[in-house]
Amino acid sequence: MKTNSNQSFYLIPYVVWMVLFVIAPIVLVVYFSLFDLHGNFSFENYQNFFTSVYLKLTLSSFWYAFIITVFTLLIAYPTAYWLTKTKHKQLWLLLIIIPSWINLLLKTYAFIGIFGVFGPINKFLEIFGIGTKQILYTDFSFIFVSVYIFIPFMILPIFNSLDKMNPTLIDAARDLGSSAWTTFTRVILPLTINGVKSGIQAVFIPSLSLFMITRLIAGNKVITLGTAIEQQFLVTQNWGMGSTIAVFLILFMGIIMILTGQKDKGAIVNGHNK
């Protein structure tokens, strides 16, 4: 009995933290979403969300998040695999993670200088006679910077999955005559799928709510759900509509987390190996 009471006592800080900083903010967002621009109780905001403007905005957000996630995964998976084969893999992994410690705003302004008309990229193009190009404020610059920022968050979980994988399984597949592609699709990828799912969660979900990069790098030419929330709160002062968009964003995030939920099959495989 004393053990159970002690365990309950230790849970109190966790419960208080969850109530104050997770549940309470969500309740407040839902509460504000039920009031129109004039402070009257109404479901008008939810009706407006299903109009063509906001549905198009939602599809656009998902499309850009999908593109960012795909490019990040295509770069991160081979990089993580290469890291597991290097001699000083922990050092290389640290060098990849260190840029994520730098303030996001500083990195964004750095890319403004790099992609600017008088930046080093355009200077390099001028050497080959291509001339000055408008790289900043384009879809390319937005996706490029977003992929750069999110790559460490995709590499880390994939690296952990690859590093924990039993290398004898790959050797066994090759001894049985499997090609490199078959070994990857039938052995490596299934055993590291949990790392891939974690990486997708870490990239796709925040990509839906980007607003700083869309404003500074894309010049507001790319509008996401995060940008719409910022505009509703800070520009139009329509807290009700901004909260409504935030409610749907939370729902989308929950659905994505459910779809990419992990089922640890590695423990079963390792159990059989033992």
Side-chain angles (χ1 to χ4, degrees), residues 70-86:
V70 168
F71 279 111
T72 305
L73 180 60
L74 290 176
I75 298 172
Y77 202 105
T79 304
Y81 185 81
W82 172 79
L83 285 174
T84 59
K85 303 300 180 183
T86 57

Side-chain angles (χ1 to χ4, degrees), residues 137 211-220 222 227 230-231 235:
Y137 309 134
F211 70 92
M212 184 188 300
I213 299 175
T214 58
R215 180 178 295 278
L216 297 177
I217 299 296
N220 280 339
V222 175
T227 309
E230 182 201 23
Q231 290 178 346
V235 180

Side-chain angles (χ1 to χ4, degrees), residues 33-84:
S33 70
L34 297 174
F35 293 90
D36 60 18
L37 186 60
H38 304 288
N40 301 317
F41 181 85
S42 173
F43 290 100
E44 181 182 355
N45 295 322
Y46 287 89
Q47 294 175 351
N48 291 336
F49 186 84
F50 289 99
T51 59
S52 59
V53 175
Y54 289 102
L55 288 178
K56 184 179 179 180
L57 172 65
T58 302
L59 291 175
S60 175
S61 297
F62 271 88
W63 172 248
Y64 280 110
F66 173 77
I67 293 296
I68 292 169
T69 304
V70 168
F71 279 111
T72 305
L73 180 60
L74 290 176
I75 298 172
Y77 202 105
T79 304
Y81 185 81
W82 172 79
L83 285 174
T84 59

Side-chain angles (χ1 to χ4, degrees), residues 115-118 121-122 125-126 130-136 138:
F115 287 145
V117 176
F118 302 102
I121 299 297
N122 271 310
L125 294 177
E126 289 177 359
I130 298 177
T132 302
K133 299 293 182 181
Q134 180 60 48
I135 304 174
L136 201 61
T138 61

